Amino acid sequence: MKKLRYSAKIDAPVGDVWTTMLSDSTYRQWTSAFNQGSYFEGNWTKGSEIRFLGPDDEGSLGGMIAVVEENTPGEFISLRYVGQIVNGADDTTSDEAEAFIGTHENYSFSEDSGVTTVEVALDSEDDFAAMFDEAWPVALAKLKEITEARR
């Protein structure tokens, strides 16, 4: 398991960045860097389940299931992964699912003079690190572009 970190500076107040990152319509835009058609079901409230979904390579519904462990608005979100979705069905028992169950993905936000820094920290299986290293910078660049264009 690797600890991966990514960050971006966005010329916008933290509230604007927070809203753009987590609102359904704009979430779909910036997460297209990972999977065209990505979306979530659920909400970002502490303790709630949230599902990150999209079409897999064969066109079936796939994704990840997480629990929001922390949510301090404008500052921090922590997700703990509890399963995956394969062919539209929950999977919490396969070897693939068990390999990442309990891993975290965290988003930290800080603002200085109207510029917000977004930091992403996540646990990743070694096999997925290269994909994340490619996709996260693109996703954060899209988040920056969308947020700054809305100002």
Side-chain angles (χ1 to χ4, degrees):
M1 195 66 61
K2 289 186 173 185
K3 297 274 188 191
L4 305 177
R5 297 185 180 280
Y6 310 95
S7 66
K9 291 192 179 297
I10 300 174
D11 188 15
V14 70
D16 292 357
V17 177
W18 177 273
T19 299
T20 304
M21 189 169 191
L22 304 180
S23 293
D24 178 55
S25 63
T26 46
Y27 174 90
R28 291 171 186 255
Q29 294 173 44
W30 71 265
T31 58
S32 67
F34 299 99
N35 184 357
Q36 199 67 25
S38 290
Y39 64 101
F40 67 86
E41 289 180 349
N43 65 67
W44 299 95
T45 305
K46 182 178 178 176
S48 67
E49 181 181 276
I50 189 164
R51 294 166 173 262
F52 301 102
L53 304 163
D56 65 18
D57 293 339
E58 289 80 43
S60 296
L61 184 64
M64 308 287 286
I65 307 166
V67 171
V68 180
E69 287 202 326
E70 295 292 332
N71 181 333
T72 305
E75 294 179 19
F76 184 71
I77 288 187
S78 180
L79 304 169
R80 179 177 42 87
Y81 286 100
V82 297
Q84 66 180 352
I85 300 159
V86 179
N87 295 323
D90 291 6
D91 171 18
T92 58
T93 59
S94 71
D95 290 344
E96 293 83 9
E98 287 182 356
F100 68 83
I101 287 175
T103 62
H104 286 83
E105 185 167 317
N106 299 321
Y107 309 141
S108 300
F109 302 78
S110 60
E111 182 182 340
D112 184 24
S113 302
V115 176
T116 299
T117 300
V118 178
E119 296 178 306
V120 177
L122 63 128
D123 303 318
S124 172
E125 293 179 64
D126 294 349
D127 294 348
F128 292 102
M131 183 273 296
F132 286 130
D133 284 345
E134 184 177 313
W136 264 112
V138 173
L140 289 172
K142 284 186 175 208
L143 177 64
K144 175 181 173 67
E145 177 185 336
I146 295 163
T147 306
E148 291 177 354
R150 296 178 68 174
R151 296 196 69 208

